[in-house]
Amino acid sequence: MAEPESTVINTSVKQKDPKEALVIAVTTRAIFNLEKEHEIFLTKGKDAYVKHQQTNENNPLEQGTAFAFIQAVQFVNEQLRKRNPDDKELFDVIVLSNNSPESGVRIINSAKQHGLEISKFCFVSDEDSTQYLKSHNVKLFLSADRKDVCNALQRGVSAALIFQQEIQAPPTQLRVVFDGDAVLFSDETDRVFREKGLEGAVEYEKSMEGVPMGEGPLKAFALHLGKMRKKFGQEDSPIRTYLVTARGGSEMGSRAIITLREWGLAIDEAFFMDGAPKGPILSKIQPHIFFDDALHNIRNAQVVGVPSALVPCDC
C-alpha cells in the first residue's frame, strides 16, 4: 500500500478550487535547476542529498527550464483577477516532489524567495508519485523524469518531459507552442508515414481529409488553455497559442484545421513547416514552452534557447 503524500499548503497564496482551476503540477527538477543536487543523490546517496538540502535550505535554487512558464502563468492570473476579482477559473500551480518534507524546506523557501505563486507542495514517498495527479485534478504535468511522464500519460494526464537547458528570457505574454501529430492529434498519420513513407501518408490524408483526427496526449490541456484564452480579445490577451507542425500546408494542412475547428480549439497562429527545421520560427515566437514528440525537434529548439518539453510516443 502506498504511503499517503504529505502536502504543505502555502498560506501566503489564496487557495483555488481544483474543480474550477486549470491545475499544473511541476516537479522540483522541472522548475528549479537541481542538476548538482541530483548528482549528489545519484553518487552519494539519499542521506548526503538530504544533508546538502538542509545545509542550504536558505540558499535559493537557480531557475529551471519550466520556471519562466510558471511565471507567465502567474501573469495570466494577475490579468484575470484585474478583469474579474471573483474569477475562479485561474491557473493553479502545485509542486510534486519525491523529497521528504524535511529536505523539501529548500524547495518551499526557493519558491517564496522567487515570488512564485505555488499553492501546494506535495511530498510523496511512494515510488510512483503520479498516482496522486488525478486526486488534485491535474491537467498538465511537467517532470524531468521520463518514467514519471510515461506513468502520467498512461493515467490519461497531459504530461511532458522537461530537460535542463539554457533559455532565452521570453516576453511576459504566455506563449505556448504545440506540435500536431502525436501531441495535439493522434499518431495515426505518423504510423502510416513510418509504414508507407511520405507518399503513403499524403494519400492517407487525402482519403481522410474531411474526417477529424483522433485526440493526442495534450489535447485535454490545450482545450483548457483555449477556454481560458477565449476570455480575452486578440489585442489584450496575455495568452497566445501556436501550432508548429512538420505537415505541409497544401497537402496535409486542411485536416489539421478541420480537426481544430471540430474540437472548438482556436489557435492564434499555425505554421505548416513541410519538414523544414522548426528552430528558426520558434526563435521568432519566443515561447515559454514548446511541446513536441520528436527529440530532434526538441534539440533544435534548445539550440535557439526555447524551453522545450518532449511528449514521449513510446511509453
Side-chain angles (χ1 to χ4, degrees):
M1 178 71 68
E3 295 180 26
E5 62 175 325
S6 175
T7 301
V8 177
I9 305 294
N10 187 353
T11 56
S12 63
V13 172
K14 184 177 180 181
Q15 297 299 301
K16 304 170 186 70
D17 183 350
K19 294 180 181 179
E20 301 279 354
L22 200 172
V23 184
I24 297 173
V26 292
T27 61
T28 52
R29 287 177 57 212
I31 195 170
F32 295 119
N33 186 341
L34 279 157
E35 295 308 293
K36 174 185 173 182
E37 287 75 10
H38 188 58
E39 184 66 21
I40 291 173
F41 177 81
L42 293 177
T43 59
K44 298 182 179 179
K46 181 179 179 180
D47 290 344
Y49 169 79
V50 170
K51 183 179 179 180
H52 174 83
Q53 291 294 72
Q54 290 178 335
T55 301
N56 291 278
E57 62 185 28
N58 291 316
N59 297 325
L61 291 160
E62 294 181 358
Q63 300 177 12
T65 303
F67 187 95
F69 172 66
I70 300 305
Q71 279 188 319
V73 158
Q74 195 166 309
F75 173 72
V76 174
N77 279 352
E78 292 170 4
Q79 301 308 303
L80 287 168
R81 291 192 186 103
K82 284 181 181 179
R83 295 169 66 92
N84 179 8
D86 297 322
D87 196 342
K88 295 183 179 180
E89 293 180 342
L90 305 169
F91 286 102
D92 187 15
V93 181
I94 67 175
V95 166
L96 189 64
S97 173
N98 288 116
N99 286 275
S100 64
E102 291 77 16
S103 62
V105 171
R106 190 182 185 194
I107 306 299
I108 297 171
N109 288 346
S110 294
K112 291 181 177 179
Q113 288 164 328
H114 283 294
L116 296 179
E117 190 181 271
I118 293 172
S119 64
K120 300 179 184 71
F121 299 86
C122 307
F123 298 104
V124 183
S125 57
D126 190 72
E127 183 178 346
D128 181 11
S129 58
T130 65
Q131 65 184 295
Y132 299 101
L133 294 175
K134 287 284 184 78
S135 64
H136 287 287
N137 205 29
V138 170
K139 297 298 189 296
L140 176 67
F141 175 57
L142 300 176
S143 173
D145 187 289
R146 185 185 181 91
K147 183 178 179 181
D148 281 349
V149 170
C150 286
N151 286 340
L153 290 170
Q154 289 165 359
R155 294 180 187 279
V157 177
S158 296
L161 179 66
I162 291 287
F163 301 91
Q164 188 57 45
Q165 63 175 100
E166 294 292 328
I167 66 171
Q168 299 294 324
T172 305
Q173 181 188 54
L174 173 61
R175 298 181 180 181
V176 180
V177 177
F178 298 96
D179 178 31
D181 297 275
V183 175
L184 273 185
F185 314 130
S186 71
D187 67 345
E188 59 180 274
T189 304
D190 276 357
R191 285 186 273 114
V192 174
F193 175 78
R194 288 193 294 270
E195 183 180 339
K196 299 183 179 180
L198 179 59
E199 186 175 336
V202 169
E203 288 302 316
Y204 175 78
E205 285 292 298
K206 287 180 179 178
S207 68
M208 300 290 287
E209 186 172 359
V211 182
M213 286 179 276
E215 63 182 61
L218 260 63
K219 177 196 173 184
F221 168 67
L223 287 176
H224 286 287
L225 184 63
K227 181 181 178 182
M228 196 172 285
R229 168 70 182 83
K230 288 179 180 179
K231 295 184 179 186
F232 301 93
Q234 283 292 332
E235 301 300 323
D236 65 343
S237 179
I239 304 172
R240 196 161 184 82
T241 56
Y242 303 80
L243 171 67
V244 178
T245 172
R247 287 171 170 255
S250 61
E251 295 178 323
M252 301 175 72
S254 59
R255 192 177 180 212
I257 295 171
I258 289 170
T259 301
L260 294 173
R261 186 188 304 153
E262 177 72 18
W263 291 351
L265 177 58
I267 294 288
D268 290 297
E269 297 185 48
F271 296 90
F272 296 92
M273 304 303 294
D274 198 17
K278 297 182 180 182
I281 193 65
L282 291 172
S283 67
K284 296 291 186 183
I285 295 171
Q286 290 188 288
H288 290 88
I289 196 162
F290 161 57
F291 296 103
D292 203 290
D293 68 305
L295 192 57
H296 70 274
N297 287 330
I298 296 293
R299 298 302 186 206
N300 287 338
Q302 290 174 330
V303 168
V304 294
V306 170
S308 306
L310 179 71
V311 182
C313 57
D314 56 352
C315 290

